[in-house]
Amino acid sequence: MAKRTADEPIVERIDDIDVTAEMQGSYLEYAYSVIYSRALPDARDGLKPVQRRILFTMDDMGLRPDRGHVKSARVVGEVMGRLHPHGDSAIYDAMVRMAQDFSLRLPLVDGHGNFGSLDDGPAAYRYTEARPASAAMLMTSGLEEDVVDFVANYDGRELEPAVLPAAFPQLLVNGASGIAVGMSTNMPPHNLGEVIAAARHLLTNPDATLTELMRFVPGPDLPTGGRIIGIDGIRDAYRDGRGSFRMRATVRTEHVTARRQALVVTELPFNVGPERVIERIKDLVQAKKLQGIADVTDLSDGERGLRLIIEVKAGFNPDAVLEHLYRSTPLEEQFSINNVALVQGRPETLGLKELLEVYIAHRISVVTRRSRFRRTKAADRLHLVEGVHIAILNIDEVIQVIRTSDDAAAARARLMEVFDLSETQANYILEMPLRRLTRLSTIELEQERDQLLRTIEELDTLLGDERRIRRLVADELAQVATTHGTPRRTVLLEQAPEPVATDLEVPDEPCLVLLSSTGLVARTRSAEELARSGGRARHDVITGIVRTTSRGEFGVVTDRGRLVRAGVVSLPVLPDSAGSPVLRGGVPLADIVGLESGESIVGIVDIGTDAAPLALGTRRGVVKRVQPEQVNKPAWEVITLAPGDAVVGVGNAPDGAELAFVTDEAQLLHFAASAVRPQGRAAGGMAGIACDDGVSVICFTVVPSDAEVITIAGARGALPGADPGTIKRTPFALYPGKGRATGGVRCHGFRKGEDHLTFAAIVPPQPRLAGPQGAPVEAPEQNPRRDGTGTPLQDVVEAAG
């Protein structure tokens, strides 16, 4: 080619084009490429091209769920080099999502290594390994049987499937999301068993209505569980392909410590991570738009799963705080459904029935093509078997024909002529080693021929009857549901529960603080229930009741004479569950008080401004009344104890009350509380009951109305728990009052072998007894003799109330 000289003029060529036409053409080409080749799933197998290529490549590489993992980089490289014209990041991102059990309801890739979380991305593909999940084998099963069309890859050098066989409705089960040009898709996951049940119903009832299908598929089933609120939006999406619903986290209220309640999140809305929730809560707290939150901690791990702890400040209502969190944080999210998928290469918005119909038509096509392939293969094999059978029957003549022929072509021609064989049969006989030909038996060939004839007949019958094909598709789907189906994870709610009209802070309302025989403490929402039941609790053997308010305080008295102030608002609210052997929902009072080594709790008392004086009785028979002084200390001493002495009972005792002692020598003494003048906190009390050396008080109490006396006698040398002893139940009114500092009257007659009382209690009528761990024990009938003997016990009694 001659070079242009410096003197030659430059000839410019300018082509006039229509800018509008050029822009439209370029835009449409780009839009079609994005829609068809990248962003939208095919309605038949529910996969985007990159997902389909990953699964096909894994299958072509021989990777299986029961074989070892391979480097993710190897899979990505194979897909990118052979089939996918885009970069490695897009391939790896798609493979990661198919391995995440929080993204797909039925993962298609079994990942080994860090495949990310809802808050963090995965490790690079050089650090992770992968293999197909068992569900992926359902997607590729049958590719070798010509069940789908294959098309050329991006450079025309290899073939790839245009669609996978998909033995289950992958698009509905795992959902899809993608943004194309001018359109997008956003489909939620569903439960495999429910979707297959709907597909099978539609196979046998093509005219089924949406209402019928929704009996099987009531709504999405999200991988992360949670709750779905609003069935109307789901029905719209199932009818028209567009709709929305609200997702809520699963939250329950627990006591994380004895003093503090927390909202424990165990399931989050779909595609919401705990870090996102924590960040939002912290922003709201810092902006002072959210009150009542003390701390947020993520305790999630691989064993227990998600566990997000949102601690609520004392004095705040957890239910009200939770409602505020639902309104202000990602604990409640909106999901907009847009069922856009490719149908015969064109994007369409599909409802539930349309999605199932497209999938069913695809599976019918797959089963039909597979049956034709198998029928052709069986017919070809039958043709060969018939030729070999002829050769076996005429083995000597066949060998003679082959030996006397000049070459293979002549032998083939003579075999076809002499034995009336086809060219295919003759070639097969010539290619068989002689040792195989001689070892084959006529019986075996005849059996194989008969089996092939039966197979061909069955396949012909199947191919000639569409109802049989649909029944076979339904049976195969049922097998998939049986093998891979799992229970529903997401709870469906017709509508959101009406928010409880409660203040954010706990109102100062009357309530009761209850102490159980097992050492648990809780409060009631109000005092009305126990007032209606005559002051008795139905939930456990209650050993202490204090009437106070929900934002008030109560006192805890220990055996060392300490009174510890405790807040009511931090106590759990007693649930309404009758017949429980323990105080359900309560927390250990010892955890709230903070006992010293060897110290134990005696009881709880009212320390309000209008509270009656406290009455305390000690092991050595000392009694004391003291005003519950309002001092700004968490704890203080209310009695000075002599060495070796300890408090055994406590209660609020106005002047009109009656105080009672019971010793282990079976002596009972009661007298008016007015006989004990109130003393200061430092005083050591005064004589209550006269006790000889070696005698101890085992019961001191403020006597309730219509009281009954429970006493249990035993032997000092008996092993603990070996002999429950004998029990007696007597009306308190049978015991006459005596003066303070006297010995009282006998309350229990000892049998032979008994020498002391092991237990005594003065309780309201119709008492309840409890053994170890609060187990109920049946109370005996009343004994009209105040000093009579008891009846044998079957179980150990540790408390009465």
Side-chain angles (χ1 to χ4, degrees):
M1 180 178 179
K3 293 184 179 180
R4 182 181 64 83
T5 63
D7 297 332
E8 292 181 6
I10 299 175
V11 179
E12 295 183 356
R13 177 185 174 189
I14 300 175
D15 295 332
D16 292 331
I17 62 172
D18 185 359
V19 176
T20 301
E22 178 67 22
M23 292 295 292
Q24 287 180 345
S26 299
Y27 175 81
L28 289 175
E29 289 181 7
Y30 169 72
Y32 180 78
S33 174
V34 172
I35 292 171
Y36 183 74
S37 303
R38 293 174 63 181
L40 298 183
D42 193 298
R44 294 171 292 178
D45 61 5
L47 298 173
K48 300 178 185 179
V50 64
Q51 297 171 323
R52 187 178 303 113
R53 288 162 181 159
I54 291 171
L55 297 180
F56 172 68
T57 299
M58 282 185 165
D59 182 74
D60 202 42
M61 291 170 64
L63 304 181
R64 296 293 182 269
D66 55 351
R67 300 176 187 174
H69 296 79
V70 300
K71 280 277 190 180
S72 299
R74 180 180 170 189
V75 178
V76 172
E78 285 286 320
V79 174
M80 182 171 58
R82 294 176 52 199
L83 304 176
H84 200 60
H86 305 290
D88 56 346
S89 61
I91 300 171
Y92 186 54
D93 288 346
M95 188 169 73
V96 165
R97 188 176 185 277
M98 288 194 292
Q100 293 173 336
D101 57 3
F102 54 84
S103 295
L104 300 188
R105 189 61 179 81
L106 188 63
L108 301 175
V109 172
D110 179 11
H112 181 67
N114 178 16
F115 273 76
S117 66
L118 286 166
D119 297 307
D120 299 313
Y125 55 60
R126 60 183 177 273
Y127 299 121
T128 63
E129 297 178 335
R131 65 183 178 188
S134 57
M137 306 310 296
L138 300 174
M139 297 296 295
T140 58
S141 176
L143 280 175
E144 70 282 356
E145 295 183 295
D146 190 34
V147 293
V148 294
D149 293 332
F150 278 70
V151 296
N153 69 336
Y154 63 90
D155 60 4
R157 297 182 180 181
E158 295 196 34
L159 295 176
E160 61 175 311
V163 65
L164 293 185
F168 68 95
Q170 202 280 144
L171 184 57
L172 278 167
V173 171
N174 282 327
S177 62
I179 300 176
V181 178
M183 64 185 66
S184 65
T185 186
N186 197 33
M187 305 176 66
H190 292 77
N191 184 272
L192 174 68
E194 295 176 355
V195 173
I196 286 180
R200 297 184 66 209
H201 181 74
L202 192 59
L203 274 164
T204 55
N205 301 276
D207 297 328
T209 64
L210 177 61
T211 301
E212 293 177 13
L213 295 178
M214 286 190 67
R215 293 174 185 169
F216 301 97
V217 186
D221 186 21
L222 308 176
T224 53
R227 289 175 167 81
I228 287 179
I229 299 172
I231 305 299
D232 292 340
I234 295 174
R235 181 180 293 275
D236 293 341
Y238 286 170
R239 183 184 62 247
D240 305 323
R242 296 177 184 271
S244 65
F245 58 85
R246 284 185 293 158
M247 304 175 290
R248 269 192 177 182
T250 300
V251 187
R252 63 174 180 265
T253 303
E254 292 183 5
H255 260 78
V256 290
T257 67
R259 292 177 177 269
R260 178 158 290 174
Q261 289 181 292
L263 301 171
V264 180
V265 183
T266 56
E267 294 175 345
L268 285 172
F270 187 44
N271 289 333
V272 174
E275 290 297 328
R276 180 179 162 195
V277 176
I278 293 173
E279 183 179 357
R280 179 58 178 165
I281 291 176
K282 288 182 177 179
D283 290 343
L284 291 173
V285 171
Q286 290 176 358
K288 297 183 179 180
K289 295 181 179 179
L290 181 61
Q291 296 180 335
I293 303 297
D295 192 16
V296 184
T297 308
D298 186 7
L299 299 181
S300 306
D301 57 37
E303 294 183 2
R304 295 188 300 176
L306 177 68
R307 187 173 174 83
L308 186 62
I309 309 296
I310 305 173
E311 294 189 24
V312 180
K313 291 180 179 179
F316 284 83
N317 190 315
D319 295 334
V321 172
L322 179 58
E323 287 295 331
H324 196 174
L325 289 172
Y326 280 144
R327 293 194 301 268
S328 308
T329 69
L331 290 181
E332 180 172 305
E333 288 276 273
Q334 187 89 359
F335 191 100
S336 297
I337 302 175
N338 190 23
N339 296 336
V340 178
L342 296 175
V343 180
Q344 297 181 350
R346 298 179 58 183
E348 294 186 12
T349 303
L350 306 171
L352 175 63
K353 184 176 181 179
E354 290 76 18
L355 286 168
L356 290 173
E357 286 175 338
V358 172
Y359 173 75
I360 288 172
H362 172 58
R363 279 306 293 178
I364 290 176
S365 172
V366 167
V367 171
T368 301
R369 292 181 60 162
R370 183 185 66 195
S371 301
R372 288 191 185 127
F373 177 86
R374 292 177 179 176
R375 198 253 182 232
T376 301
K377 190 174 181 180
D380 292 342
R381 177 61 185 169
L382 176 63
H383 186 60
L384 296 177
V385 168
E386 289 174 341
V388 174
H389 187 256
I390 294 173
I392 291 294
L393 294 176
N394 304 275
I395 185 64
D396 294 334
E397 291 84 349
V398 169
I399 294 174
Q400 181 64 27
V401 167
I402 295 174
R403 291 183 63 184
T404 57
S405 300
D406 295 333
D407 51 26
R412 177 171 53 250
R414 292 183 63 192
L415 286 173
M416 293 171 62
E417 179 181 356
V418 173
F419 301 105
D420 194 22
L421 299 175
S422 68
E423 183 177 355
T424 301
Q425 291 172 322
N427 283 332
Y428 185 71
I429 293 171
L430 288 173
E431 291 171 359
M432 288 183 66
L434 185 61
R435 63 179 181 271
R436 287 187 58 197
L437 191 61
T438 57
R439 287 181 180 177
L440 291 174
S441 69
T442 304
I443 296 177
E444 291 176 352
L445 288 172
E446 289 176 349
Q447 289 176 347
E448 184 179 2
R449 181 195 60 193
D450 295 342
Q451 178 62 42
L452 290 170
L453 287 172
R454 285 194 297 269
T455 300
I456 292 173
E457 182 181 1
E458 291 173 358
L459 291 172
D460 285 339
T461 303
L462 176 66
L463 291 169
D465 189 347
E466 184 182 354
R467 290 178 299 177
R468 289 178 178 265
I469 294 178
R470 297 176 77 90
R471 192 179 307 122
L472 178 58
V473 171
D475 293 341
E476 291 179 352
L477 285 173
Q479 181 61 39
V480 172
T482 301
T483 306
H484 298 274
T486 56
R488 166 172 280 275
R489 299 177 185 172
T490 303
V491 177
L492 296 174
L493 300 177
E494 191 76 27
Q495 57 185 5
E498 290 294 330
V500 181
T502 57
D503 297 328
L504 188 60
E505 295 190 26
V506 176
D508 195 19
E509 297 177 339
C511 69
L512 296 178
V513 176
L514 308 178
L515 175 64
S516 79
S517 63
T518 55
L520 301 179
V521 65
R523 63 181 172 93
T524 62
R525 294 188 183 276
S526 68
E528 296 178 359
E529 181 178 347
L530 265 70
R532 287 194 300 268
S533 62
R536 303 299 311 284
R538 296 181 296 132
H539 301 273
D540 191 8
V541 174
I542 302 301
T543 58
I545 301 177
V546 172
R547 188 178 297 271
T548 178
T549 62
S550 54
R551 299 187 69 85
E553 291 182 318
F554 66 99
V556 181
V557 178
T558 72
D559 60 346
R560 296 184 180 177
R562 283 200 315 142
L563 189 148
V564 182
R565 185 195 303 269
V568 178
V569 72
S570 62
L571 299 180
V573 178
L574 188 67
D576 186 14
S577 57
S580 172
V582 295
L583 190 67
R584 295 200 182 279
V587 295
L589 181 57
D591 293 347
I592 296 177
V593 174
L595 300 176
E596 299 174 355
S597 177
E599 190 175 21
S600 61
I601 295 172
V602 174
I604 57 176
V605 293
D606 184 5
I607 57 173
T609 55
D610 299 328
L614 308 185
L616 302 96
T618 73
R619 184 185 302 150
R620 294 188 175 179
V622 175
V623 65
K624 179 182 179 181
R625 290 175 75 210
V626 58
Q627 293 289 350
E629 300 179 30
Q630 300 300 309
V631 294
N632 294 325
K633 290 183 179 180
W636 64 93
E637 291 186 355
V638 290
I639 186 173
T640 300
L641 295 171
D645 202 1
V647 176
V648 295
V650 65
N652 292 97
D655 288 342
E658 194 81 2
L659 306 180
F661 284 91
V662 181
T663 70
D664 57 359
E665 289 291 324
Q667 292 297 117
L668 185 152
L669 171 67
H670 67 93
F671 49 85
S674 57
V676 184
R677 59 178 178 83
Q679 296 177 304
R681 287 189 294 110
M686 59 186 68
I689 184 172
C691 294
D692 296 333
D693 292 341
V695 177
S696 299
V697 173
I698 61 173
C699 173
F700 171 81
T701 187
V702 179
V703 180
S705 302
D706 300 323
E708 297 185 8
V709 180
I710 304 292
T711 52
I712 300 175
R716 296 185 188 274
L719 293 175
D723 183 9
T726 59
I727 186 170
K728 186 168 73 77
R729 172 185 166 199
T730 313
F732 180 80
L734 297 178
Y735 299 94
K738 300 288 184 179
R740 182 180 60 83
T742 62
V745 296
R746 194 156 188 81
C747 62
H748 193 115
F750 293 145
R751 291 187 173 192
K752 184 178 180 180
E754 298 176 343
D755 53 13
H756 78 302
L757 291 184
T758 60
F759 176 85
I762 301 174
V763 294
Q766 301 301 320
R768 296 184 63 183
L769 309 182
Q773 289 79 48
V777 177
E778 185 177 356
E781 296 294 330
Q782 278 193 353
N783 189 331
R785 294 182 57 194
R786 70 186 191 191
D787 60 348
T789 58
T791 57
L793 268 171
Q794 299 299 319
D795 301 297
V796 175
V797 174
E798 293 189 353

Short mmCIF file of all heavy atoms in Angstrom, two decimals, residues 488-520:
data_model
loop_
_atom_site.label_atom_id
_atom_site.label_comp_id
_atom_site.label_asym_id
_atom_site.label_seq_id
_atom_site.Cartn_x
_atom_site.Cartn_y
_atom_site.Cartn_z
N ARG A 488 -42.43 -25.69 57.73
CA ARG A 488 -42.50 -24.24 57.52
C ARG A 488 -41.77 -23.50 58.64
O ARG A 488 -41.86 -23.88 59.82
CB ARG A 488 -43.97 -23.80 57.46
CG ARG A 488 -44.20 -22.30 57.58
CD ARG A 488 -45.62 -21.93 57.32
NE ARG A 488 -45.88 -21.88 55.89
CZ ARG A 488 -45.64 -20.81 55.14
NH1 ARG A 488 -45.13 -19.72 55.67
NH2 ARG A 488 -45.91 -20.83 53.86
N ARG A 489 -41.04 -22.46 58.29
CA ARG A 489 -40.30 -21.67 59.27
C ARG A 489 -40.99 -20.35 59.60
O ARG A 489 -40.83 -19.84 60.69
CB ARG A 489 -38.89 -21.36 58.73
CG ARG A 489 -38.04 -22.60 58.47
CD ARG A 489 -36.70 -22.21 57.87
NE ARG A 489 -35.91 -23.39 57.49
CZ ARG A 489 -34.78 -23.34 56.82
NH1 ARG A 489 -34.27 -22.16 56.45
NH2 ARG A 489 -34.13 -24.45 56.51
N THR A 490 -41.71 -19.80 58.65
CA THR A 490 -42.30 -18.48 58.83
C THR A 490 -43.75 -18.60 59.26
O THR A 490 -44.52 -19.36 58.67
CB THR A 490 -42.21 -17.66 57.52
OG1 THR A 490 -40.84 -17.58 57.12
CG2 THR A 490 -42.76 -16.26 57.72
N VAL A 491 -44.11 -17.83 60.27
CA VAL A 491 -45.49 -17.80 60.78
C VAL A 491 -46.27 -16.75 59.98
O VAL A 491 -45.81 -15.62 59.81
CB VAL A 491 -45.51 -17.47 62.28
CG1 VAL A 491 -46.95 -17.36 62.78
CG2 VAL A 491 -44.74 -18.52 63.06
N LEU A 492 -47.45 -17.12 59.51
CA LEU A 492 -48.30 -16.21 58.75
C LEU A 492 -49.40 -15.66 59.65
O LEU A 492 -50.08 -16.41 60.34
CB LEU A 492 -48.94 -16.93 57.56
CG LEU A 492 -47.99 -17.46 56.49
CD1 LEU A 492 -48.75 -18.28 55.47
CD2 LEU A 492 -47.25 -16.32 55.80
N LEU A 493 -49.55 -14.34 59.64
CA LEU A 493 -50.59 -13.67 60.41
C LEU A 493 -51.48 -12.91 59.45
O LEU A 493 -51.01 -12.19 58.57
CB LEU A 493 -49.97 -12.71 61.44
CG LEU A 493 -49.03 -13.33 62.48
CD1 LEU A 493 -48.44 -12.24 63.37
CD2 LEU A 493 -49.77 -14.36 63.32
N GLU A 494 -52.80 -13.09 59.63
CA GLU A 494 -53.76 -12.39 58.77
C GLU A 494 -53.56 -10.89 58.85
O GLU A 494 -53.60 -10.18 57.85
CB GLU A 494 -55.17 -12.77 59.19
CG GLU A 494 -56.26 -12.31 58.22
CD GLU A 494 -56.32 -13.17 56.97
OE1 GLU A 494 -55.95 -14.35 57.03
OE2 GLU A 494 -56.74 -12.63 55.93
N GLN A 495 -53.32 -10.41 60.05
CA GLN A 495 -53.04 -8.99 60.25
C GLN A 495 -52.23 -8.86 61.54
O GLN A 495 -52.16 -9.78 62.36
CB GLN A 495 -54.33 -8.18 60.35
CG GLN A 495 -55.28 -8.63 61.45
CD GLN A 495 -56.59 -7.88 61.42
OE1 GLN A 495 -56.82 -7.09 60.53
NE2 GLN A 495 -57.44 -8.14 62.40
N ALA A 496 -51.62 -7.71 61.70
CA ALA A 496 -50.78 -7.48 62.87
C ALA A 496 -51.62 -7.44 64.14
O ALA A 496 -52.74 -6.92 64.13
CB ALA A 496 -50.01 -6.17 62.73
N PRO A 497 -51.12 -8.03 65.22
CA PRO A 497 -51.84 -7.92 66.49
C PRO A 497 -51.99 -6.47 66.89
O PRO A 497 -51.09 -5.65 66.66
CB PRO A 497 -50.94 -8.68 67.47
CG PRO A 497 -50.05 -9.53 66.63
CD PRO A 497 -49.88 -8.79 65.35
N GLU A 498 -53.15 -6.15 67.43
CA GLU A 498 -53.36 -4.78 67.88
C GLU A 498 -52.35 -4.42 68.97
O GLU A 498 -52.18 -5.16 69.94
CB GLU A 498 -54.78 -4.61 68.43
CG GLU A 498 -55.86 -4.67 67.37
CD GLU A 498 -55.78 -3.51 66.41
OE1 GLU A 498 -55.32 -2.42 66.84
OE2 GLU A 498 -56.15 -3.67 65.24
N PRO A 499 -51.62 -3.31 68.79
CA PRO A 499 -50.65 -2.93 69.82
C PRO A 499 -51.34 -2.66 71.15
O PRO A 499 -52.39 -2.02 71.20
CB PRO A 499 -50.00 -1.66 69.25
CG PRO A 499 -50.97 -1.15 68.24
CD PRO A 499 -51.68 -2.34 67.69
N VAL A 500 -50.75 -3.19 72.21
CA VAL A 500 -51.31 -3.00 73.53
C VAL A 500 -51.15 -1.54 73.93
O VAL A 500 -50.06 -0.97 73.84
CB VAL A 500 -50.61 -3.91 74.56
CG1 VAL A 500 -51.21 -3.72 75.93
CG2 VAL A 500 -50.72 -5.36 74.12
N ALA A 501 -52.25 -0.93 74.35
CA ALA A 501 -52.21 0.49 74.73
C ALA A 501 -51.57 0.62 76.10
O ALA A 501 -52.24 0.70 77.13
CB ALA A 501 -53.62 1.08 74.72
N THR A 502 -50.26 0.58 76.13
CA THR A 502 -49.53 0.70 77.38
C THR A 502 -48.54 1.84 77.28
O THR A 502 -48.06 2.17 76.20
CB THR A 502 -48.77 -0.60 77.71
OG1 THR A 502 -47.89 -0.91 76.61
CG2 THR A 502 -49.72 -1.75 77.92
N ASP A 503 -48.25 2.44 78.41
CA ASP A 503 -47.25 3.49 78.45
C ASP A 503 -45.87 2.87 78.28
O ASP A 503 -45.64 1.71 78.61
CB ASP A 503 -47.32 4.23 79.79
CG ASP A 503 -48.66 4.94 79.96
OD1 ASP A 503 -49.23 5.37 78.93
OD2 ASP A 503 -49.13 5.04 81.11
N LEU A 504 -44.95 3.68 77.79
CA LEU A 504 -43.58 3.21 77.63
C LEU A 504 -42.99 2.83 78.98
O LEU A 504 -42.30 1.83 79.11
CB LEU A 504 -42.74 4.28 76.94
CG LEU A 504 -41.33 3.87 76.52
CD1 LEU A 504 -41.38 2.71 75.54
CD2 LEU A 504 -40.58 5.05 75.92
N GLU A 505 -43.27 3.66 79.98
CA GLU A 505 -42.80 3.34 81.33
C GLU A 505 -43.89 2.59 82.07
O GLU A 505 -45.08 2.81 81.88
CB GLU A 505 -42.43 4.62 82.08
CG GLU A 505 -41.24 5.36 81.48
CD GLU A 505 -40.75 6.48 82.38
OE1 GLU A 505 -40.96 6.39 83.60
OE2 GLU A 505 -40.17 7.43 81.85
N VAL A 506 -43.47 1.68 82.94
CA VAL A 506 -44.42 0.88 83.71
C VAL A 506 -45.19 1.79 84.66
O VAL A 506 -44.59 2.52 85.46
CB VAL A 506 -43.68 -0.21 84.51
CG1 VAL A 506 -44.65 -0.98 85.39
CG2 VAL A 506 -42.94 -1.14 83.57
N PRO A 507 -46.53 1.81 84.61
CA PRO A 507 -47.29 2.67 85.51
C PRO A 507 -47.22 2.16 86.94
O PRO A 507 -47.02 0.98 87.19
CB PRO A 507 -48.72 2.58 84.94
CG PRO A 507 -48.77 1.26 84.24
CD PRO A 507 -47.39 1.05 83.68
N ASP A 508 -47.40 3.09 87.87
CA ASP A 508 -47.33 2.74 89.29
C ASP A 508 -48.70 2.25 89.74
O ASP A 508 -49.52 3.01 90.25
CB ASP A 508 -46.87 3.95 90.11
CG ASP A 508 -46.43 3.56 91.50
OD1 ASP A 508 -46.14 2.38 91.70
OD2 ASP A 508 -46.36 4.44 92.38
N GLU A 509 -48.95 0.95 89.55
CA GLU A 509 -50.25 0.36 89.85
C GLU A 509 -50.11 -0.65 90.99
O GLU A 509 -49.04 -1.24 91.19
CB GLU A 509 -50.80 -0.35 88.61
CG GLU A 509 -51.06 0.58 87.44
CD GLU A 509 -51.54 -0.17 86.22
OE1 GLU A 509 -51.29 -1.39 86.15
OE2 GLU A 509 -52.13 0.46 85.33
N PRO A 510 -51.20 -0.90 91.72
CA PRO A 510 -51.14 -1.89 92.79
C PRO A 510 -50.79 -3.27 92.26
O PRO A 510 -51.23 -3.67 91.18
CB PRO A 510 -52.55 -1.87 93.38
CG PRO A 510 -53.10 -0.54 92.99
CD PRO A 510 -52.51 -0.21 91.66
N CYS A 511 -49.97 -4.00 93.00
CA CYS A 511 -49.60 -5.35 92.61
C CYS A 511 -49.19 -6.13 93.85
O CYS A 511 -49.12 -5.56 94.95
CB CYS A 511 -48.46 -5.35 91.58
SG CYS A 511 -46.88 -4.81 92.25
N LEU A 512 -48.96 -7.40 93.69
CA LEU A 512 -48.48 -8.26 94.77
C LEU A 512 -47.13 -8.83 94.40
O LEU A 512 -46.94 -9.27 93.26
CB LEU A 512 -49.47 -9.40 95.03
CG LEU A 512 -50.87 -9.03 95.51
CD1 LEU A 512 -51.70 -10.29 95.65
CD2 LEU A 512 -50.80 -8.28 96.84
N VAL A 513 -46.22 -8.82 95.36
CA VAL A 513 -44.94 -9.51 95.19
C VAL A 513 -45.06 -10.85 95.88
O VAL A 513 -45.46 -10.93 97.05
CB VAL A 513 -43.78 -8.68 95.80
CG1 VAL A 513 -42.48 -9.47 95.71
CG2 VAL A 513 -43.65 -7.35 95.08
N LEU A 514 -44.75 -11.93 95.15
CA LEU A 514 -44.92 -13.28 95.66
C LEU A 514 -43.57 -13.97 95.76
O LEU A 514 -42.76 -13.91 94.83
CB LEU A 514 -45.82 -14.10 94.73
CG LEU A 514 -47.18 -13.48 94.37
CD1 LEU A 514 -47.92 -14.39 93.40
CD2 LEU A 514 -48.00 -13.22 95.61
N LEU A 515 -43.34 -14.63 96.89
CA LEU A 515 -42.15 -15.44 97.10
C LEU A 515 -42.56 -16.89 97.24
O LEU A 515 -43.45 -17.21 98.04
CB LEU A 515 -41.40 -14.99 98.36
CG LEU A 515 -40.18 -15.82 98.77
CD1 LEU A 515 -39.09 -15.74 97.70
CD2 LEU A 515 -39.64 -15.39 100.12
N SER A 516 -41.95 -17.78 96.47
CA SER A 516 -42.35 -19.19 96.48
C SER A 516 -41.44 -20.01 97.38
O SER A 516 -40.37 -19.56 97.80
CB SER A 516 -42.31 -19.75 95.05
OG SER A 516 -40.98 -20.04 94.68
N SER A 517 -41.85 -21.23 97.61
CA SER A 517 -41.06 -22.14 98.45
C SER A 517 -39.74 -22.51 97.79
O SER A 517 -38.81 -22.93 98.47
CB SER A 517 -41.86 -23.42 98.72
OG SER A 517 -42.12 -24.10 97.50
N THR A 518 -39.65 -22.36 96.48
CA THR A 518 -38.40 -22.67 95.77
C THR A 518 -37.47 -21.48 95.69
O THR A 518 -36.45 -21.53 95.01
CB THR A 518 -38.72 -23.16 94.35
OG1 THR A 518 -39.53 -22.20 93.68
CG2 THR A 518 -39.43 -24.49 94.40
N GLY A 519 -37.83 -20.36 96.34
CA GLY A 519 -36.96 -19.19 96.36
C GLY A 519 -37.13 -18.28 95.17
O GLY A 519 -36.32 -17.36 94.97
N LEU A 520 -38.19 -18.48 94.37
CA LEU A 520 -38.43 -17.62 93.22
C LEU A 520 -39.35 -16.47 93.62
O LEU A 520 -40.24 -16.63 94.46
CB LEU A 520 -39.08 -18.41 92.08
CG LEU A 520 -38.28 -19.61 91.54
CD1 LEU A 520 -39.05 -20.30 90.44
CD2 LEU A 520 -36.91 -19.17 91.04
#
